[in-house]
Amino acid sequence: MSERTTVPITTLLADVRACRHCAEHLPHEPRPVLQLHPSARILIAAQAPGRKVHESGVPFDDASGDRLRDWLGVTRAQFHDPTCFAILPMGFCYPGQARSGDRPPRPECAPRWRAPLLQALTQLQLTLVIGRYALAHHLPDESDGLTAAVRQGQRHQPALMPLPHPSPTNNRWLARNRWFEQDLVPRLRARVADILRHS
Ligand code: SF4
């Protein structure tokens, strides 16, 4: 996809929104859900849209989003301002339901789209790496699992910070790891507020 690096961002986004690359594997018509502007300061590298987000077409328009916005200490308006937050899940289309929870992000999506989209984000100061699929892509050398990665906090420059998925299906993890909301979330809020203040 290197030929896409010179494509204007509006054309690239139009190409993504028209994508049917893995349509045969989806249980519905493709509906890529993402948010991107080259001025974005914070990237949310997430998993894949759920059913409610698939229906609305608005990223994190669900209970996961409510919890994530609370962790970040931002309003809906701030969260959906693409000059503040870019939102790129590992799979842009809802992958459908599994026996328990949703299916994983389609594996075709990141190799096809991620590199040129990330290349457009030249102002990033923080990447929030949410869940194990984004962790495997953005921090491939992390071998001790998601909990250890989250506990370690921010690393690298520009900064990457692994987070657990904010889904209600993750309530048990949050109950077992109370240090996350007690210690790490206040630091995350302070970091986000600092970045947005200077945007
Ligand atoms: S999941 Fe990604 S690759 Fe598959 S149709 Fe949607 S945008 Fe295209």
Side-chain angles (χ1 to χ4, degrees):
M1 298 301 293
S2 56
E3 72 275 11
R4 290 186 177 276
T5 55
T6 56
V7 172
I9 189 64
T10 48
T11 306
L12 182 56
L13 283 172
D15 286 350
V16 173
R17 295 192 199 287
C19 179
R20 300 186 54 80
H21 181 57
C22 69
E24 64 186 300
H25 302 294
L26 297 173
H28 50 75
E29 279 297 294
R31 187 178 197 189
V33 181
L34 64 156
Q35 174 174 306
L36 186 135
H37 187 283
S39 302
R41 299 296 201 274
I42 301 172
L43 167 63
I44 296 174
Q47 185 157 305
R51 184 187 50 78
K52 190 163 181 241
V53 170
H54 170 69
E55 288 167 1
S56 73
V58 179
F60 280 102
D61 184 25
D62 55 11
S64 297
D66 291 340
R67 178 177 273 160
L68 180 58
R69 285 181 283 275
D70 180 56
W71 287 349
L72 301 177
V74 297
T75 64
R76 257 183 185 268
Q78 287 173 305
F79 187 82
H80 290 297
D81 178 347
T83 67
C84 295
F85 290 94
I87 303 174
L88 297 182
M90 296 305 299
F92 295 149
C93 298
Y94 172 48
Q97 256 193 322
R99 194 172 297 172
S100 147
D102 288 344
R103 290 181 182 152
R106 285 304 314 172
E108 299 87 348
C109 200
R112 186 165 186 85
W113 295 116
R114 210 151 187 85
L117 291 171
L118 291 177
Q119 195 155 359
L121 294 169
T122 56
Q123 306 298 312
L124 283 185
Q125 296 178 31
L126 178 64
T127 295
L128 302 173
V129 181
I130 296 186
R132 64 192 175 96
Y133 297 99
L135 184 70
H137 183 90
H138 286 271
L139 288 165
D141 294 334
E142 299 281 329
S143 54
D144 295 333
L146 183 70
T147 301
V150 173
R151 194 184 278 275
Q152 196 181 327
Q154 180 180 308
R155 70 212 71 174
H156 302 306
Q157 200 56 251
L160 289 108
M161 187 181 284
L163 297 178
H165 200 284
S167 164
T169 62
N170 225 7
N171 284 349
R172 201 178 296 177
W173 186 96
L174 291 167
R176 276 200 312 263
N177 296 280
R178 294 201 183 278
W179 53 267
F180 171 73
E181 290 188 305
Q182 287 169 358
D183 303 333
L184 204 143
V185 165
R187 280 189 274 144
L188 172 63
R189 280 190 193 140
R191 180 86 177 97
V192 168
D194 188 52
I195 293 171
L196 297 184
R197 194 178 307 123
H198 294 103
S199 294

